[in-house]
């Protein structure tokens, strides 16, 4: 696979949009006596980890999108705000290659779904290899509205590209429980569809 094709693949799987949870419905009270609402159930450590880690999936893709839409204006140091390890290194390589080849992205990836697949909260940084808490997500993405353009203004995306696919995204916390959750690894799931 040529370097342009690899960069094109990376650029064609750029950004995403995330959703927000709906606000709680207001309650109407026609009485003057105070009403007690039940307190929400305490989240399990695993559910809390999912809640904290999931926004990083969207943040990762949004930053990737920004970097590839205008490689010259983007500073690769910014990737450290959302990624670490191999995920950060992959973004830096992709961003550098796009800039060197004069490629840029138009449009964005839409995320169809994000589902937590596995949670492991073991934290043993002193063992070899270290055990770091992580949440694995399966992300269904759609790149229908995304294109990658070369210096001549021509698309480098093949006509037979699959517009939907699945990516595994691992979000880890190297300073658990108080440290930041960051995307640590990503993997395209070529054998899966959504």
């Amino acid at each position: 696979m040529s370097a342009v094709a690899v960069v094109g693949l990376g650029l064609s799987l750029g950004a995403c949009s995330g959703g927000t949870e709906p606000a709680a419905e207001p309650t109407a009270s026609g009485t003057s006596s105070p009403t007690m609402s039940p307190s929400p159930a305490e989240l399990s450590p695993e559910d809390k980890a999912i809640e904290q880690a999931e926004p990083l999936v969207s943040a990762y893709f949004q930053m990737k999108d920004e970097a590839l839409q205008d490689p010259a204006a983007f500073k690769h140091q910014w990737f450290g705000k959302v990624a670490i390890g191999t995920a950060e290194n992959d973004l830096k390589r992709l961003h550098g290659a796009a800039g060197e080849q004069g490629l840029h992205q138009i449009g964005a990836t839409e995320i169809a779904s994000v589902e937590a697949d596995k949670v492991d909260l073991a934290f043993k940084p002193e063992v070899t290899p270290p055990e770091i808490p992580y949440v694995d997500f399966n992300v269904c993405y759609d790149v229908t509205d995304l294109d990658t353009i070369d210096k001549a203004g021509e698309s480098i995306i093949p006509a037979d590209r699959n517009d939907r696919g699945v990516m595994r995204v691992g979000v880890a916390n190297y300073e658990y429980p108080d440290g930041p959750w960051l995307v640590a690894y990503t993997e395209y799931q070529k054998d899966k569809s959504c």
Side-chain angles (χ1 to χ4, degrees):
M1 184 178 277
S2 72
V4 170
V6 170
V7 171
L9 173 65
L11 289 172
S12 70
L13 302 173
C16 66
S17 60
T20 58
E21 293 192 22
E25 290 185 29
T27 56
S29 177
T31 64
S32 59
S33 61
T35 57
M36 299 294 290
S37 60
S39 62
E42 186 72 25
L43 291 177
S44 70
E46 290 77 12
D47 287 340
K48 187 174 181 182
I50 291 168
E51 184 179 80
Q52 293 173 342
E54 187 171 342
L56 269 295
V57 174
S58 293
Y60 171 87
F61 284 104
Q62 288 169 351
M63 186 167 285
K64 180 180 178 186
D65 185 44
E66 291 171 14
L68 299 177
Q69 287 175 345
D70 191 356
F74 190 88
K75 297 187 184 330
H76 67 85
Q77 296 89 339
W78 295 340
F79 289 129
K81 295 178 181 179
V82 298
I84 195 169
T86 59
E88 183 179 12
N89 291 337
D90 290 346
L91 288 175
K92 287 178 179 177
R93 279 193 296 275
L94 187 61
H95 173 248
E100 289 170 11
Q101 297 175 29
L103 302 174
H104 71 277
Q105 175 182 300
I106 296 174
T109 299
E110 293 296 323
I111 290 188
S113 66
V114 178
E115 296 179 7
D117 183 49
K118 183 176 181 183
V119 179
D120 187 339
L121 299 181
F123 186 48
K124 298 178 183 174
E126 70 286 349
V127 302
T128 305
E131 293 182 26
I132 304 299
Y134 69 91
V135 182
D136 262 347
F137 294 98
N138 286 319
V139 180
C140 175
Y141 61 84
D142 187 318
V143 292
T144 303
D145 297 327
L146 188 148
D147 201 355
T148 301
I149 307 300
D150 64 15
K151 291 179 186 178
E154 300 293 324
S155 174
I156 65 166
I157 301 298
D160 62 348
R161 169 185 75 181
N162 288 330
D163 286 337
R164 288 176 72 95
V166 177
M167 178 187 270
R168 183 174 148 241
V169 178
V171 183
N173 187 330
Y174 283 78
E175 301 168 32
Y176 187 79
D178 299 320
W181 288 90
L182 299 168
V183 175
Y185 51 88
T186 61
E187 182 182 354
Y188 294 103
Q189 305 288 298
K190 295 178 182 177
D191 58 334
K192 295 183 180 178
S193 60
C194 58

